[in-house]
Amino acid sequence: VNGACAYGAMGRLAAGETSFLAMLGGFFLGAKLGQEVLLGAFQPERETFAFAGSSLGALCALLVLFLVLQAKRARQGAASWAELAQMLRARKWPVSLAMLTIALANVGLIALLSHWTYTGLLIDLAADNQRADALRAGLALIFLAGAVAGAVSAGRFRWRGMAWSEMGVRALGGALMGVGAILIPGGNDGLVVMGVPLMLAGPVLAYLAMSATVLAGFAIQRYRPRSHSAA
């Protein structure tokens, strides 16, 4: 409905699609509604590590291997360190290099402040949680500023006006995302950068369910044109 996930919405807002401001308002209202209406029946339990001991060590080893492979992929295509430096200065990065950078930056952010994501901030604001402080608000603004800088450097920044119909769709999509984030708890960004890397049972299950739903949606989209052409 929204047309983008939590990360994608901020990316498109940073690229000048101002209608995604309505998504932020809708997300807050959806989280507030979920907090007031749904949490009485579905109170989330405190999360614990899904793996411990040798299993956790094996998981960490796999994550290190993933980072090494991503670094190797980023190095491919550059015959020398000078070419690699030129790749870093390019307007667009290879996906492997971008993902490696995001992973390393996220490790540092989690070490500084585990609940740094902007959707987590909106959820805590909706719940009147004391964790919604000025530091997290500042991090959210820095996150947006970085996204704007990325859009400008890639040549993707262009202001787009806000049509009422677009704003209504974004607000509705944001509200659905906010309700879902309350029930999980956590938004897609929180799942990707915190819940899944920490192997928390709830976020892992939520991410698997979300992935299965997305795949089902793709399957339906592919099936519908075939059935239409057959008719």
Side-chain angles (χ1 to χ4, degrees):
V1 176
N2 183 57
C5 67
Y7 270 136
M10 287 297 280
R12 292 175 66 174
L13 174 61
E17 294 188 49
T18 53
S19 63
F20 279 92
L21 286 170
M23 172 265 170
L24 298 177
F27 190 100
F28 173 81
L29 293 177
K32 192 71 172 178
L33 175 65
Q35 180 74 23
E36 299 292 336
V37 177
L38 299 177
L39 282 194
F42 304 99
Q43 186 65 36
E45 298 180 0
R46 184 176 179 180
E47 288 288 353
T48 57
F49 282 104
F51 294 92
S54 58
S55 298
L56 183 59
L59 174 66
C60 291
L62 287 174
L63 291 177
V64 171
L65 178 61
F66 170 77
L67 290 176
V68 171
L69 291 176
Q70 291 294 84
K72 183 178 179 181
R73 289 184 61 191
R75 179 70 174 81
Q76 289 177 350
S80 64
W81 289 108
E83 290 188 14
L84 180 60
Q86 185 178 3
M87 182 189 301
L88 293 173
R89 293 193 298 268
R91 295 175 65 183
K92 294 183 180 181
W93 283 5
V95 174
S96 58
L97 180 59
M99 293 303 296
L100 175 64
T101 304
I102 291 171
L104 294 176
N106 182 56
V107 170
L109 282 168
I110 290 180
L112 292 173
L113 185 65
S114 60
H115 294 79
W116 68 267
T117 58
Y118 83 90
T119 56
L121 173 64
L122 292 174
I123 292 170
D124 285 338
L125 285 172
D128 297 322
N129 194 315
Q130 293 182 351
R131 292 190 307 184
D133 55 15
L135 173 60
R136 293 179 65 194
L139 285 175
L141 292 177
I142 292 172
F143 176 72
L144 178 60
V148 171
V152 171
S153 66
R156 293 179 51 244
F157 184 86
R158 181 171 62 85
W159 283 110
R160 300 166 180 84
M162 291 187 289
W164 287 108
S165 57
E166 279 188 325
M167 291 179 62
V169 170
R170 306 290 185 229
L172 175 60
L176 293 173
M177 294 164 67
V179 171
I182 279 290
L183 291 177
I184 287 173
N188 180 47
D189 55 346
L191 295 180
V192 172
V193 304
M194 188 169 62
V196 173
L198 294 179
M199 294 307 294
L200 302 178
V204 170
L205 179 61
Y207 198 78
L208 290 175
M210 180 181 69
S211 300
T213 303
V214 171
L215 289 174
F218 284 146
I220 292 173
Q221 285 182 337
R222 291 181 179 180
Y223 173 77
R224 289 178 62 184
R226 293 178 183 175
S227 61
H228 178 73
S229 60

